[in-house]
Amino acid sequence: MNIPESRDFVVEHRPKCCDKQVDTMGYNLTNSIQHFVCRGCGNKVDIKYWPLCEDDIRDLKLNVLL
Ligand SMILES: [Zn+2]
């Protein structure tokens, strides 16, 4: 996975809050952080999209970050 693919993966597998996937906000190129926010409760989540290790990929697929 390259960096854009990794960010796409994180966005595609972003966590759920209030029974729906959180919304994508801006991302930070310098520290490879993608920002998300829940429109329901205002909960904010940051996910480091690069580099992703195998465990990160598995957890994102299982949606266990929240
Ligand atoms: Zn929420």
Side-chain angles (χ1 to χ4, degrees):
M1 234 189 288
N2 61 34
I3 293 176
E5 283 171 349
S6 182
R7 199 174 69 80
D8 285 348
F9 179 88
V10 167
V11 168
E12 188 180 335
H13 295 88
R14 62 196 186 276
K16 284 182 181 163
C17 188
C18 300
D19 286 332
K20 66 186 187 82
Q21 279 188 303
V22 292
D23 280 348
T24 306
M25 304 296 279
Y27 59 94
N28 189 315
L29 277 176
T30 305
N31 56 13
S32 301
I33 299 284
Q34 171 70 53
H35 305 290
F36 300 96
V37 66
C38 172
R39 296 292 184 195
C41 67
N43 202 9
K44 291 191 170 73
V45 184
D46 290 343
I47 298 177
K48 190 171 179 60
Y49 58 83
W50 185 264
L52 280 180
C53 67
E54 290 296 322
D55 283 352
D56 293 335
I57 290 170
R58 186 202 60 217
D59 288 351
L60 283 167
K61 282 181 176 170
L62 293 173
N63 192 27
V64 296
L65 282 186
L66 283 182

